[in-house]
Amino acid sequence: MHLLCRDEPDLLEWEGDVLDARPGAVLLAQSPVFPGGGGQLPDVATARWDGGEAAIVGLTPDPRGWWHGLAGAALPSGRVRVSIDPGPRHLMCELHTLAHVTNAIVFRSFGGARLTGAQLSADGTFRVDFDLPEVDPDRLRGLAGPINAVIAADLPIRAFHMPWDEAARVPGLFRSENVSPPRQDDGNVRIVEIGDLDRQGCGGTHLASTGEARRVRILKVDNKGRHNRRVKVGFEA
């Protein structure tokens, strides 16, 4: 099912008619809410209608649209306005963009190293894990310089769609060891492109350009098993 946030990450409000409802959930034709996934946290969002409001606590696809789970047992009717908290949304866009930049630099610098995990955090940090069995940790601690150079270059970011099967045959479009980007109902996959630096399948939200991100520093480099190397990244003070 299509999510508005994937093509319009700056869309923070959307209003639609109730298609169906049950205590604690309402079905709407569309949703601007990012439900979480791929290491990205879900949006902080609220549903409001005539006579009530509730926090949105989950999103479930339905052939008719999206079920929005609500905190409590409210039963909305009429029209519902969905509002996204802009602070957490922007932070996730920023962190996800920086995670892609980090991934791209490691992929280029370490012979196509595969991503083994990623997590964006509400505290303004993120971590990315790579299959790098024999690498000097100091090389990973030096990633802040190249990442900040990409931020300074203010590279444009765009998303487009291509057939999933075609994308799966292109080296480097699918980077993860464990998961693949979601196949859409139409058989396509969403590709996120960062200037001439990076292009890979992704279902999350991003900034419009790398220059919108804050400068970063490497907080920690850990060994997580024989092959896995974890890099934790945060913003400069």
Side-chain angles (χ1 to χ4, degrees):
M1 294 293 295
H2 179 70
L3 285 169
L4 297 173
C5 60
R6 288 181 174 147
D7 295 323
E8 301 177 74
D10 294 328
L11 179 67
L12 299 178
E13 287 199 344
W14 183 85
E15 186 173 312
D17 293 322
V18 171
L19 301 181
D20 198 355
R22 55 178 181 255
V26 60
L27 179 66
L28 303 173
Q30 297 272 15
S31 183
V33 178
F34 183 77
Q40 181 173 337
L41 298 177
D43 281 330
V44 177
T46 304
R48 295 181 175 89
W49 60 94
D50 187 18
E53 68 175 69
I56 295 172
V57 295
L59 214 60
T60 305
D62 181 282
R64 298 166 291 170
W66 291 91
W67 281 101
H68 294 66
L70 306 175
L75 189 65
S77 61
R79 289 185 67 78
V80 170
R81 175 172 291 275
V82 176
S83 301
I84 310 297
D85 187 328
R89 162 65 70 85
H90 182 80
L91 178 62
M92 289 298 109
C93 289
E94 187 176 19
L95 294 178
H96 206 152
T97 296
L98 291 169
H100 272 232
V101 171
T102 307
N103 185 346
I105 292 169
V106 170
F107 188 78
R108 289 187 172 197
S109 302
F110 295 91
R114 301 281 285 179
L115 184 74
T116 55
Q119 183 62 57
L120 316 181
S121 299
D123 64 0
T125 66
F126 68 92
R127 56 98 172 159
V128 278
D129 297 2
F130 299 99
D131 184 2
L132 289 169
E134 297 179 4
V135 64
D136 182 350
D138 285 340
R139 290 186 66 191
L140 296 175
R141 295 187 186 102
L143 285 172
I147 296 170
N148 288 327
V150 172
I151 293 170
D154 196 19
L155 301 180
I157 300 169
R158 73 180 185 108
F160 61 94
H161 302 267
M162 66 186 298
W164 196 98
D165 292 333
E166 178 183 332
R169 294 192 294 268
V170 179
L173 281 190
F174 292 177
R175 301 271 177 83
S176 175
E177 283 275 313
N178 305 312
V179 296
S180 297
R183 184 193 294 263
Q184 298 167 180
D185 292 341
D186 59 5
N188 287 331
V189 63
R190 180 171 175 265
I191 306 295
V192 173
E193 182 180 79
I194 302 178
D196 59 359
L197 172 74
D198 190 44
R199 178 184 286 185
Q200 61 178 294
C202 179
T205 60
H206 293 269
L207 301 174
S209 72
T210 60
E212 295 180 7
R214 289 168 282 180
R215 289 173 58 86
V216 303
R217 60 194 179 104
I218 304 303
L219 301 175
K220 195 174 184 182
V221 174
D222 281 331
N223 289 351
K224 294 292 183 179
R226 289 184 59 193
H227 288 264
N228 201 49
R229 300 297 176 266
R230 174 168 296 174
V231 181
K232 186 174 182 180
V233 185
F235 297 116
E236 286 187 346

